[in-house]
Amino acid sequence: MITEPTIQEINRIFQLHLINDEIVKIQRLSGTTSGRVYRLDSNQNNNYILKFDEPNQIQMVEQLLNTYQNSVLLPNVLFTAQDKSHFIYTYINGTTHINRGSKKKWLTILVNELFNKYSKYQHTDIWGRLEYPLRSWREFNEISIEEARINIGNSLTTDDYIFVKSQIIKLFGEEIVQGEKYLLHGDTGVHNFVFDQFSLIGVIDPSPMVGPLIYDFIYAFCSSPDDINIDTLFAAQDNLKQGHIDKIRLIDEVSVQLYCRVGLSVKHHPNDLSEYLKAWEHWKELCKKTQ
């Protein structure tokens, strides 16, 4: 394992894997990503990402990227170290968070170019994060709600917590309605979306998990406080070719994710909190009207 890579060491690795390119610059990247991440620039004006992490993390991400290598939104894996200590994949050049364009547009691109390419996961009887497998999808959602409640504190009321708990029972009370199981990206939020000229061009940093496809779809929908409305939601859902659920259930499932998103906003994005609180009140009333 390379402790602090040099240009010479990286180029030797490229030659070993028959990659006809020469690295001329290495830049350490910072962020929330676990492990160590470097951007590599070549003399052919290509860019790559070198990532060091725990072997199980590398293996899970590599599995997901290789499974969905036909998606134009995901980076391509060039090679992985034999001991799974690091791997190199293509860099997607653009911006995150900003200059996104409309949510209806980028969410539709996400559906067509990623979610519609998802495949069912049939290897083992697990749900949730691959590194923390659970027995049921309901258990995953219950844990998510409890974690969100801790973060939320007094930003929402006890009645809000009771309401979302009742939604869990309504949606996942019967094990048979957990939904078909897919290999999911697991962190489909705007912080992991790459945009260029107001269009979605890439999705980075998977946190692979197993669950219903609609989870990644709703996670993306709730990941920014703008346009959290049924018009945007239904317009994008109409493009889903698999993992489709009826519209009333979709509205209810959004309420669970939105509650969790309020918790994430309190912890990580407090500037978005006021908008999320407005969206929560709107969505809660929407759910009550469909009951």
Side-chain angles (χ1 to χ4, degrees), residues 239-274:
N239 292 276
L240 272 178
K241 295 179 180 178
Q242 55 182 356
H244 209 277
I245 61 176
D246 69 71
K247 285 180 166 54
I248 292 178
R249 182 181 179 92
L250 181 61
I251 290 171
D252 285 331
E253 291 219 23
V254 168
S255 69
V256 175
Q257 288 263 20
L258 191 52
Y259 184 88
C260 294
R261 179 53 58 175
V262 172
L264 290 174
S265 180
V266 171
K267 186 174 182 180
H268 298 294
H269 307 286
N271 291 338
D272 292 336
L273 182 58
S274 62

Side-chain angles (χ1 to χ4, degrees), residues 187-206:
D187 196 5
T188 50
V190 292
H191 61 290
N192 282 332
F193 297 160
V194 183
F195 299 91
D196 183 47
Q197 298 182 4
F198 301 96
S199 184
L200 177 67
I201 62 166
V203 179
I204 59 175
D205 286 352

Side-chain angles (χ1 to χ4, degrees), residues 210-254:
V210 175
L213 185 152
I214 207 70
Y215 174 85
D216 269 6
F217 174 75
I218 299 174
Y219 193 98
F221 173 71
C222 293
S223 70
S224 65
D226 55 297
D227 296 328
I228 298 183
N229 55 64
I230 58 173
D231 179 54
T232 299
L233 181 70
F234 292 165
Q237 191 212 22
D238 286 343
N239 292 276
L240 272 178
K241 295 179 180 178
Q242 55 182 356
H244 209 277
I245 61 176
D246 69 71
K247 285 180 166 54
I248 292 178
R249 182 181 179 92
L250 181 61
I251 290 171
D252 285 331
E253 291 219 23
V254 168

Side-chain angles (χ1 to χ4, degrees), residues 99-111:
N99 299 328
R100 298 193 295 261
S102 73
K103 178 177 287 186
K104 188 181 295 185
K105 179 183 175 182
W106 62 252
L107 192 56
T108 297
I109 294 173
L110 193 62
V111 168

Side-chain angles (χ1 to χ4, degrees), residues 87-107:
F87 68 153
I88 291 181
Y89 53 89
T90 52
Y91 175 81
I92 303 173
N93 194 11
T95 59
T96 56
H97 291 285
I98 60 174
N99 299 328
R100 298 193 295 261
S102 73
K103 178 177 287 186
K104 188 181 295 185
K105 179 183 175 182
W106 62 252
L107 192 56

